[in-house]
Amino acid sequence: MDNPHFNSPPITRNMIGKRVPRSEDAKLLTGRGRYLNDIDVEGQLHACFVRSPAAHGRILKIDTSVASALPGVHLIWTSADIESQCAGMEAQFSADGCLPMTMPLLAKDVVRYVGEPVVLVVADSRAVAEDACDLIGLDLEDLEAVLDPRASIQGGPVANGERPDNVGIRGHASFGDVDEAFNNAAHVVSALYHPGRVAAAPMETRGCLADYDWAQDRLKLWVSAQMPHYVKLCLNLYLGFDESRCEVISPDTGGGFGQKAHVFPEEMLMPLASKHLRSPIKWVEDRRENLLAGSHAHEQFVTIEYAANADGRITGVRTHALVDGGAYHMPPQTMAVESWCTAAVTPTGVYDIPATEYVYEAAVTNKCPMGAYRGVGYMAGTLARECLMDDLGRKLNMSPFDIRRLNVVPEFPWTNPQGIVFDEGSWLETINVLEEMVDYPAFLKRQAEARKAGKYLGLGISVFVESSGESTGMLKAHGMHEIYHDTATVKMDSSGSVTVTSGLNSQGQGHETTLAQVAADVLGVSFESIVVDAGTSTKGAYGSGTVGSRAGVIASGCVNRAAYAIREKLVAVAANMLESSEDDIVLENGMASVAGAPESQVSIADVAMAIYWDESLWPVGFEPEMEFTKAWDTSRPMFSNGGHAMIVELDPATGFVNVEQVFSVEDCGVMINPTIVEGQIRGGVVQGIGLGLFEQLVYDKDGNLSTTSFLDYQTPTMDVSPPFEIRHLETPSKISASGVKGMGESGLIAAPAAVLNAVNDALAPFGSVLYELPATPEKMMRAMQGLVDLEGPEPWSKLWERAGVEPRESGSMETA
Amino acid sequence: MKLPAINYASPSSMEEACDLLSTDEDSKIIAGGQSLLPVMAMRLAQPSVLIDLAKIPGLDAIEESGNYMRLGPMATHTSILSSPVISKNLPLMSAAGKYIAHRQIRNRGTLGGSLAHGDAAGEWPLVLLALDGLVEVQSVRGKRTIEADDLFVGPYMTSLAADEIITDVWIPFRPRAWGYGEFARRAGDYGLANIAVVLPTEDTGTSGARITVGGSVGKIQRVTAAEDVLNGSEVSPELAKQAAEAGASELSYISDMHGSAEFRRGLVQELLRRTIVEAGERI
Ligand SMILES: Cc1cc2nc3c(=O)[nH]c(=O)nc-3n(C[C@H](O)[C@H](O)[C@H](O)COP(=O)(O)OP(=O)(O)OC[C@H]3O[C@@H](n4cnc5c(N)ncnc54)[C@H](O)[C@@H]3O)c2cc1C
């Protein structure tokens, strides 16, 4: 099917590709941003929650009597108060084997993770609300806490009665002759990788401000979110508000990284309470709430196995991905997407592997629900694939570059075993360029000399291909049936200035700048004449969400189509004014001119003025709209690619690992703004260093989270952020506006694998290999003594049997 | 994490502050607030009244007085770090103070607050003990002096009585060789291990080595076993190693998500060795 909105009108590049300084920075860097908590509405009240202190327990009694009597308290709700208004938020992922689960707005009868909201208190101030929370008695009867996903996925004690088997998703698939590959393999390598539990930890925590106007039956909801239109839909689906009566507003947002691509119980409760009290109500969580309940991410147990021929060419890959999903599906992302994506999307990567089979599972546990965080599923899958590649290289005595070059896809288009077509890429070149940037022979020399002096350097590389700009085409390629829907509105005033409204809001990525660059080139006007409203209100254009490396591709695609419609108007009138053919009109530098006769020209502002004010200059039958809303989408998936190399130094006396230097190669097609692309790379890679070396959410044996502040949950800071060298390759997409590809997630997708490979290279003289992140100093000290904690993979036959795969004779299933 | 409503007093003299502190046993002194306020915001402490020392004149002194440096309790970390007399007379203090937290916190946090808070990972307690300093305290019952050796009694525990206020901090200065070391994963973090080493030099004529440890050991303390190894001998890399081994095996360690006792022991031993070597080079 080829819908008109899959089409991208061509653009002549002028501003696209320039390092334009970000127009939002003057505001954001001088403290003039207006974040959620900067917005106050007259008469607003404040919310706080009593959260579950237990991982799993039956609620015997909630005593609110003392708290209700506290001056300044306006409302105290438990689940009984809201049951009739909302039955909870049901969520389900559309891959095979995922069953729905319902997350209550407030825990009913049973609490299922520490931090789960149980009681809502609304008071004059947050401080009073907290005072009241302290006065609420919560009697719980302990239930067994289910905390180990590798055990709970096999049944046993139940974490959430809605899934009595503890299975949030379970499915499998096989493509190509995997058995043959393993039966004939000269080498088989396998390992179990365990990236730790982390949180996206945006600097601005979650929050919202609901203002229900009873006189007009209208709701305004300010929310710190990545999917404001979806939030609006949920106001209807879960709460019954008419969408037409709701406006969801996105103020400046201090980071989202996927965490804010959910809809949370707290955000659904504020509108209900505001309607009930007829008062505006604000909820801004503190860091403790954010770490307890804001969604956790990335923790999986990924077992991966390669079959390779004698030369080291990989002929088959098996993957088993198990996510520690927490207590509920967090809507709409769910726990399922993480392991499904790892197993179904990432195993072949940039490598020409003809056969793949996989099982994905999500274990329900009594922990904070798993959510999205930059590189959902991609990070863990890339970690497993790229680190096992190094294992294979070590086994065959090949350099990490050579083993990858041997296996990389040689030419395009390439169809992976699942049948997904990759139109273009610079996959081999990425490996070559990384090797050159690192100066591999020089590094090896330096490493050898350092070792003699008792210093341990390690080099790790990781190459990736990323689904760029999550689109309908991407969903379809993976067998899903949903579609995406995104629009942009472009409006030109009679004086020629332009307003662009995007349906995709910004969490700091720089949409205001990049979308203005695109619109400027489509219309031939100056960058300065364009003002971008990056999705600040659902009254504007529609967007499916700033997720999945989408905005650069999808929003610019929509802007291109909407601006192009205006361009056609300008061209028609300019041709009439200049007495020329439309085909000869050039729009550039604010002027409409005739190709080949540049003296024959009129300013675009004058053309706009004519369209608004002077009918005599119109061609016959002209329709004078100067405001268009257009959708854009793709029917085919598109992919960006790249790689990172990292050099680390391990202090053998302390186990501290220092990242000395990062080398990044990125091919996201045509860059709209290289400075912004580089910012995305740096930020993502540093988050990857966090996941690789520092960050871990720690639950104790009773299911209490021990890491509830930044004292204990340690994100990377500037002093541990290494210098970067970044090289850009450019393989344009054939389908997007101007050839751009998405890249927002790439840093975090691939950096942890580079960290682990570098760490393992540094550990090589000690004969140890780590399979678990973060590589804390203690783990490094133990590894240097030959002690590595993570137990090995379960037998494949067992994993496969659990997933319902037919038992097979193939002895290769036990090669692990 | 918002403070409950709280009473606040801002006395203008030390006597008045002592009076207030003795009348209400749930009252608490506030200095820079950088340790106390977070604890209150997390609702782990709920004092009835905060008695602010900010308006009492003269509490932020940093001056030479005979063979001592006299520092007021309200001297901030930043003012100590930027003081030329401190870097001249007590270079160990300047070296250690750089590791305290981040700029904004150093601008508000105070010496008196740090010492009274008694965090085992705090730099100032470690330094005071290594440099053999003392604090003068006052209450409605009168004044007394507490030697650093008697001040730190346990994790977040000092020998200050609940009604006592630190009014002065005295640190002797004379030629001494020193070393300071800290292992923290990120700049500004509390150290996993902190060590201060003070060694006598030829013209010091004082007793022996003073080595103090914080961080992983739960309580600011001297590492006497390491001091014993060094006393009376010339410091060499080999001797530093021996002292570190002896010292590390004398101590007991905490164990938490940032490291097990065994791991921390290894860190402390290595840091002892490095810091003794560093101090030895200054003799
Ligand atoms: C993010 C962060 C990181 C930090 N990192 C470090 C670090 O790396 N190293 C470090 O040493 N510190 C660190 N701190 C703590 C900081 O140094 C504090 O400033 C210090 O511990 C307390 O000083 P204060 O003036 O803020 O005291 P306050 O917080 O005001 O008071 C602390 C305690 O001391 C009592 N007190 C204060 N003054 C007196 C007095 N004159 N007499 C008797 N009792 C008194 C108070 O009653 C209270 O119990 C950090 C703090 C934060 C918030």
Side-chain angles (χ1 to χ4, degrees), chain A residues 489-511:
Chain A
T489 302
V490 177
K491 177 177 178 179
M492 184 179 273
D493 308 308
S494 58
S495 55
S497 68
V498 178
T499 308
V500 172
T501 309
S502 148
L504 294 179
N505 65 337
S506 162
Q507 293 76 47
Q509 299 92 332
H511 298 12

mmCIF file of all heavy atoms in Angstrom, chain A residues 489-511:
data_model
loop_
_atom_site.group_PDB
_atom_site.id
_atom_site.type_symbol
_atom_site.label_atom_id
_atom_site.label_comp_id
_atom_site.label_asym_id
_atom_site.label_seq_id
_atom_site.Cartn_x
_atom_site.Cartn_y
_atom_site.Cartn_z
ATOM 1 N N THR A 489 1.616 21.107 11.614
ATOM 2 C CA THR A 489 0.898 22.222 10.997
ATOM 3 C C THR A 489 1.914 23.307 10.661
ATOM 4 O O THR A 489 2.761 23.641 11.493
ATOM 5 C CB THR A 489 -0.144 22.800 11.973
ATOM 6 O OG1 THR A 489 -1.039 21.752 12.333
ATOM 7 C CG2 THR A 489 -0.926 23.943 11.343
ATOM 8 N N VAL A 490 1.821 23.821 9.454
ATOM 9 C CA VAL A 490 2.679 24.946 9.077
ATOM 10 C C VAL A 490 1.776 26.062 8.578
ATOM 11 O O VAL A 490 0.843 25.830 7.811
ATOM 12 C CB VAL A 490 3.700 24.541 7.995
ATOM 13 C CG1 VAL A 490 4.523 25.749 7.559
ATOM 14 C CG2 VAL A 490 4.612 23.428 8.500
ATOM 15 N N LYS A 491 2.075 27.239 9.076
ATOM 16 C CA LYS A 491 1.240 28.382 8.748
ATOM 17 C C LYS A 491 2.161 29.545 8.381
ATOM 18 O O LYS A 491 3.120 29.821 9.095
ATOM 19 C CB LYS A 491 0.437 28.726 10.002
ATOM 20 C CG LYS A 491 -0.454 29.918 9.919
ATOM 21 C CD LYS A 491 -1.195 30.024 11.245
ATOM 22 C CE LYS A 491 -2.090 31.223 11.276
ATOM 23 N NZ LYS A 491 -2.814 31.294 12.558
ATOM 24 N N MET A 492 1.871 30.187 7.249
ATOM 25 C CA MET A 492 2.650 31.380 6.907
ATOM 26 C C MET A 492 1.749 32.599 7.040
ATOM 27 O O MET A 492 0.625 32.623 6.549
ATOM 28 C CB MET A 492 3.221 31.301 5.491
ATOM 29 C CG MET A 492 4.121 32.500 5.155
ATOM 30 S SD MET A 492 4.846 32.418 3.504
ATOM 31 C CE MET A 492 6.322 31.469 3.799
ATOM 32 N N ASP A 493 2.272 33.620 7.716
ATOM 33 C CA ASP A 493 1.509 34.862 7.904
ATOM 34 C C ASP A 493 1.597 35.720 6.651
ATOM 35 O O ASP A 493 2.432 35.495 5.780
ATOM 36 C CB ASP A 493 2.085 35.664 9.074
ATOM 37 C CG ASP A 493 2.196 34.820 10.313
ATOM 38 O OD1 ASP A 493 1.191 34.195 10.687
ATOM 39 O OD2 ASP A 493 3.305 34.759 10.886
ATOM 40 N N SER A 494 0.797 36.768 6.622
ATOM 41 C CA SER A 494 0.793 37.630 5.433
ATOM 42 C C SER A 494 2.128 38.361 5.276
ATOM 43 O O SER A 494 2.494 38.780 4.194
ATOM 44 C CB SER A 494 -0.355 38.630 5.515
ATOM 45 O OG SER A 494 -0.238 39.409 6.677
ATOM 46 N N SER A 495 2.907 38.487 6.362
ATOM 47 C CA SER A 495 4.209 39.146 6.223
ATOM 48 C C SER A 495 5.327 38.127 5.992
ATOM 49 O O SER A 495 6.498 38.478 6.025
ATOM 50 C CB SER A 495 4.502 39.986 7.467
ATOM 51 O OG SER A 495 4.405 39.166 8.610
ATOM 52 N N GLY A 496 4.966 36.897 5.799
ATOM 53 C CA GLY A 496 5.963 35.907 5.395
ATOM 54 C C GLY A 496 6.612 35.128 6.516
ATOM 55 O O GLY A 496 7.441 34.259 6.254
ATOM 56 N N SER A 497 6.285 35.448 7.768
ATOM 57 C CA SER A 497 6.876 34.635 8.836
ATOM 58 C C SER A 497 6.044 33.370 9.020
ATOM 59 O O SER A 497 4.896 33.296 8.579
ATOM 60 C CB SER A 497 6.998 35.440 10.129
ATOM 61 O OG SER A 497 5.722 35.721 10.644
ATOM 62 N N VAL A 498 6.665 32.398 9.660
ATOM 63 C CA VAL A 498 6.103 31.048 9.620
ATOM 64 C C VAL A 498 6.003 30.467 11.022
ATOM 65 O O VAL A 498 6.930 30.608 11.827
ATOM 66 C CB VAL A 498 7.007 30.130 8.757
ATOM 67 C CG1 VAL A 498 6.479 28.698 8.742
ATOM 68 C CG2 VAL A 498 7.133 30.680 7.352
ATOM 69 N N THR A 499 4.867 29.818 11.298
ATOM 70 C CA THR A 499 4.728 29.082 12.543
ATOM 71 C C THR A 499 4.602 27.603 12.217
ATOM 72 O O THR A 499 3.773 27.216 11.397
ATOM 73 C CB THR A 499 3.460 29.511 13.307
ATOM 74 O OG1 THR A 499 3.473 30.926 13.424
ATOM 75 C CG2 THR A 499 3.429 28.897 14.693
ATOM 76 N N VAL A 500 5.444 26.814 12.846
ATOM 77 C CA VAL A 500 5.414 25.367 12.655
ATOM 78 C C VAL A 500 4.951 24.759 13.969
ATOM 79 O O VAL A 500 5.494 25.078 15.023
ATOM 80 C CB VAL A 500 6.821 24.835 12.308
ATOM 81 C CG1 VAL A 500 6.842 23.308 12.310
ATOM 82 C CG2 VAL A 500 7.291 25.387 10.972
ATOM 83 N N THR A 501 3.955 23.911 13.913
ATOM 84 C CA THR A 501 3.539 23.206 15.117
ATOM 85 C C THR A 501 3.717 21.718 14.876
ATOM 86 O O THR A 501 3.229 21.183 13.880
ATOM 87 C CB THR A 501 2.065 23.504 15.447
ATOM 88 O OG1 THR A 501 1.887 24.911 15.453
ATOM 89 C CG2 THR A 501 1.705 22.954 16.815
ATOM 90 N N SER A 502 4.445 21.106 15.782
ATOM 91 C CA SER A 502 4.722 19.686 15.626
ATOM 92 C C SER A 502 3.880 18.909 16.621
ATOM 93 O O SER A 502 3.572 19.391 17.711
ATOM 94 C CB SER A 502 6.217 19.474 15.891
ATOM 95 O OG SER A 502 6.421 18.218 16.458
ATOM 96 N N GLY A 503 3.513 17.714 16.253
ATOM 97 C CA GLY A 503 2.782 16.870 17.187
ATOM 98 C C GLY A 503 3.701 16.163 18.152
ATOM 99 O O GLY A 503 3.248 15.514 19.093
ATOM 100 N N LEU A 504 4.993 16.274 17.912
ATOM 101 C CA LEU A 504 5.960 15.584 18.778
ATOM 102 C C LEU A 504 6.625 16.619 19.678
ATOM 103 O O LEU A 504 7.299 17.523 19.205
ATOM 104 C CB LEU A 504 6.999 14.844 17.931
ATOM 105 C CG LEU A 504 6.400 13.683 17.125
ATOM 106 C CD1 LEU A 504 7.456 12.989 16.283
ATOM 107 C CD2 LEU A 504 5.721 12.667 18.034
ATOM 108 N N ASN A 505 6.418 16.479 20.970
ATOM 109 C CA ASN A 505 6.956 17.471 21.899
ATOM 110 C C ASN A 505 8.404 17.154 22.241
ATOM 111 O O ASN A 505 8.933 16.103 21.886
ATOM 112 C CB ASN A 505 6.076 17.577 23.150
ATOM 113 C CG ASN A 505 6.081 16.301 23.977
ATOM 114 O OD1 ASN A 505 6.369 15.224 23.472
ATOM 115 N ND2 ASN A 505 5.768 16.414 25.238
ATOM 116 N N SER A 506 9.043 18.095 22.909
ATOM 117 C CA SER A 506 10.480 17.987 23.144
ATOM 118 C C SER A 506 10.751 17.831 24.627
ATOM 119 O O SER A 506 10.081 18.440 25.466
ATOM 120 C CB SER A 506 11.149 19.258 22.615
ATOM 121 O OG SER A 506 12.425 19.400 23.169
ATOM 122 N N GLN A 507 11.701 16.994 24.964
ATOM 123 C CA GLN A 507 12.160 16.885 26.353
ATOM 124 C C GLN A 507 13.548 17.493 26.492
ATOM 125 O O GLN A 507 14.284 17.195 27.428
ATOM 126 C CB GLN A 507 12.179 15.415 26.799
ATOM 127 C CG GLN A 507 10.809 14.770 26.891
ATOM 128 C CD GLN A 507 10.226 14.425 25.530
ATOM 129 O OE1 GLN A 507 10.901 13.846 24.689
ATOM 130 N NE2 GLN A 507 8.992 14.806 25.308
ATOM 131 N N GLY A 508 13.894 18.317 25.504
ATOM 132 C CA GLY A 508 15.196 18.963 25.532
ATOM 133 C C GLY A 508 16.042 18.658 24.308
ATOM 134 O O GLY A 508 17.176 19.106 24.198
ATOM 135 N N GLN A 509 15.463 17.887 23.369
ATOM 136 C CA GLN A 509 16.276 17.419 22.229
ATOM 137 C C GLN A 509 16.577 18.490 21.200
ATOM 138 O O GLN A 509 17.476 18.302 20.370
ATOM 139 C CB GLN A 509 15.556 16.266 21.512
ATOM 140 C CG GLN A 509 15.314 15.041 22.361
ATOM 141 C CD GLN A 509 13.955 15.052 23.061
ATOM 142 O OE1 GLN A 509 13.398 16.093 23.354
ATOM 143 N NE2 GLN A 509 13.431 13.890 23.344
ATOM 144 N N GLY A 510 15.817 19.566 21.190
ATOM 145 C CA GLY A 510 16.125 20.625 20.220
ATOM 146 C C GLY A 510 15.199 20.658 19.018
ATOM 147 O O GLY A 510 15.565 21.153 17.955
ATOM 148 N N HIS A 511 13.978 20.158 19.176
ATOM 149 C CA HIS A 511 13.019 20.174 18.056
ATOM 150 C C HIS A 511 12.820 21.576 17.497
ATOM 151 O O HIS A 511 12.608 21.750 16.303
ATOM 152 C CB HIS A 511 11.622 19.707 18.500
ATOM 153 C CG HIS A 511 11.554 18.303 19.005
ATOM 154 N ND1 HIS A 511 12.642 17.534 19.298
ATOM 155 C CD2 HIS A 511 10.478 17.520 19.263
ATOM 156 C CE1 HIS A 511 12.249 16.347 19.720
ATOM 157 N NE2 HIS A 511 10.942 16.313 19.718
#
